[in-house]
Amino acid sequence: MAKLYQKFIAVTWRTLLTLLTVSRSPGLGRVDSSKSASCIYTGYASIMEGFGKESRGGGRTGNDRPDVLAGVIGELLMAVQQLSDRVGALEARDSDIAGLGNQIDGIERAIKAILLGITADMETRMEAVEQVVWGAFDEVERLNYEVEQLQVAEETEGKARISRLQSRVKALETRSAEQDAQLAQRAVRLKTLKETSYDGEFVWKISGMAQKRRDATVGKTTVIDSVCFFTSRAGYKMRAQVYLNGYGRGEGTHVSVFFVMMKGEYDAILSWPFRQKVTFTLLDQDHQADVTDWFHAGAYPTSPSFARPTGDSNLPCGTPDFVPLERLYNSGHAYVRDDTMFLKITVDTVGLV
């Protein structure tokens, strides 16, 4: 743009000089209009054309030609100035554009630098984040492993504790069972001491007859055992049994009573087989009509019921049809009163030590 402007200025000055030279020559009035078209720029052809018309028209004299030429030159100079201003504006614009381009280049470089910096920073941050993440994964794996180990340890310890607790519970159950057995034995002994006798005569009080009779009828509890009693402190040990709904040939029709020899602490110094007379008596609580039956053990010397006991007890021996049920409840006698019945067992102690 600067070179073009310099070329334009040079051409313009050459044109002005030519015009000045022509203005001094005598043939100025015959300037051909066709030569006006050969001016440097068609934008100023109208000015030159006007000047030629005035020359041909003869509107002005020769003395007026310098003024006209001066006017034309002035207008041309103004046009040149305007063009110069435009060229200057264009140069300024080009300069601004070049500066803007430089600014854009700088901005691009800055953006690239920023992007490169951001990329590098992001890479650094990503590496740090990856390290943190992988560290977190490692920590999670370690914690999972520790948890698994704790679970295994807890399961093992739990199983061991459960086993120990089960052993303790079993031991406690065994001990409790033993204590229960001991308590039961003590309860039986206490009851025996309270209710038993040591003279061969035992009165058995049977309470709750209605319920016990129902239990016997439905087969829930068919037999009831008495506490043990003795012929003396160091004598034979015995007990009685009663079937409230009968046994054997008396089942369903009679009350059956039996005598049972028990294994005792002094059996070694006693005479065997047992040979004593045994008597059963159902007591009338009005003392009017007791029911009695008996047997003599000596009449059965070979019976296992009277041999020395090898187990806890021998086979029972007694009377299956001791008293009819009809008589027990409907005879008008007080064999059962206040839901209670009394049965006395008497062992003859004559001849015993």
Side-chain angles (χ1 to χ4, degrees):
M1 182 66 69
K3 292 181 180 180
L4 179 61
Y5 176 68
Q6 291 174 0
K7 184 177 180 181
F8 174 76
I9 294 298
V11 172
T12 302
W13 280 112
R14 285 198 299 270
T15 303
L16 290 175
L17 289 174
T18 301
L19 289 172
L20 287 174
T21 301
V22 171
S23 67
R24 291 191 179 101
S25 64
L28 181 61
R30 292 187 300 270
V31 174
D32 191 5
S33 62
S34 62
K35 292 183 178 179
S36 64
S38 63
C39 292
I40 302 304
Y41 291 98
T42 58
Y44 301 103
S46 62
I47 297 174
M48 298 305 293
E49 183 68 22
F51 175 73
K53 286 180 180 180
E54 290 178 354
S55 296
R56 290 191 299 271
R60 291 183 184 270
T61 63
N63 293 330
D64 293 333
R65 288 178 183 175
D67 294 334
V68 173
L69 181 60
V72 171
I73 291 171
E75 292 178 0
L76 183 60
L77 287 175
M78 289 178 62
V80 169
Q81 183 62 43
Q82 292 175 0
L83 184 59
S84 177
D85 293 339
R86 292 182 65 187
V87 171
L90 290 174
E91 286 183 345
R93 184 178 177 184
D94 289 341
S95 178
D96 292 339
I97 292 173
L100 183 59
N102 293 333
Q103 291 181 5
I104 292 173
D105 292 339
I107 292 172
E108 288 180 352
R109 288 193 297 272
I111 291 173
K112 289 180 180 179
I114 291 171
L115 291 175
L116 290 174
I118 291 174
T119 302
D121 186 58
M122 287 297 293
E123 290 179 354
T124 303
R125 291 185 180 182
M126 286 300 296
E127 290 178 358
V129 170
E130 287 179 358
Q131 291 179 358
V132 172
V133 170
W134 285 116
F137 276 124
D138 293 339
E139 183 67 15
V140 169
E141 289 182 358
R142 184 184 66 80
L143 291 176
N144 284 332
Y145 177 76
E146 290 184 359
V147 168
E148 290 177 357
Q149 294 300 314
L150 288 174
Q151 288 177 345
V152 171
E154 287 180 357
E155 289 178 0
T156 303
E157 179 63 21
K159 290 179 180 178
R161 290 181 63 185
I162 291 173
S163 179
R164 290 195 298 269
L165 290 173
Q166 288 176 342
S167 299
R168 291 183 61 184
V169 169
K170 187 176 291 186
L172 289 173
E173 288 177 348
T174 302
R175 185 175 179 181
S176 177
E178 292 175 351
Q179 291 179 347
D180 289 342
Q182 292 176 359
L183 289 174
Q185 291 177 356
R186 290 179 182 177
V188 170
R189 294 182 67 179
L190 181 62
K191 185 178 181 180
T192 299
L193 290 173
K194 183 180 179 180
E195 298 179 1
T196 193
S197 70
Y198 293 92
D199 58 1
E201 186 176 274
F202 173 66
V203 177
W204 185 9
K205 179 182 179 181
I206 304 174
S207 303
M209 280 291 294
Q211 183 62 50
K212 289 175 181 177
R213 175 80 172 81
R214 286 193 293 271
D215 292 342
T217 301
V218 299
K220 181 177 180 180
T221 304
T222 58
V223 61
I224 305 172
D225 293 323
S226 73
V227 298
C228 296
F229 59 97
F230 303 85
T231 56
S232 66
R233 290 285 179 180
Y236 295 101
K237 181 180 180 181
M238 306 154 288
R239 75 177 180 195
Q241 287 183 339
V242 62
Y243 290 81
L244 294 179
N245 195 47
Y247 177 80
R249 65 175 182 267
E251 183 175 358
T253 58
H254 290 71
V255 172
S256 303
V257 294
F258 293 89
F259 173 83
V260 183
M261 292 296 303
M262 304 293 295
K263 186 176 183 179
E265 298 180 17
Y266 302 99
D267 289 350
I269 61 175
L270 298 176
S271 178
W272 300 99
F274 177 75
R275 298 176 180 273
Q276 306 307 116
K277 179 183 177 181
V278 179
T279 303
F280 302 107
T281 305
L282 176 60
L283 300 178
D284 178 1
Q285 298 180 39
D286 288 334
H287 308 288
Q288 295 180 0
D290 294 342
V291 178
T292 302
D293 197 0
W294 60 274
F295 67 88
H296 202 294
Y300 312 98
T302 60
S303 173
S305 296
F306 306 115
R308 180 179 176 178
T310 56
D312 291 336
S313 63
N314 288 345
L315 293 174
C317 180
T319 306
D321 46 4
F322 175 61
V323 60
L325 293 172
E326 182 68 21
R327 182 179 180 184
L328 179 68
Y329 289 103
N330 299 316
S331 63
H333 297 286
Y335 298 121
V336 178
R337 175 178 287 174
D338 298 329
D339 205 26
T340 301
M341 182 179 77
F342 291 92
L343 180 66
K344 182 170 72 171
I345 300 96
T346 303
V347 177
D348 186 5
T349 59
V350 176
L352 298 178
V353 177

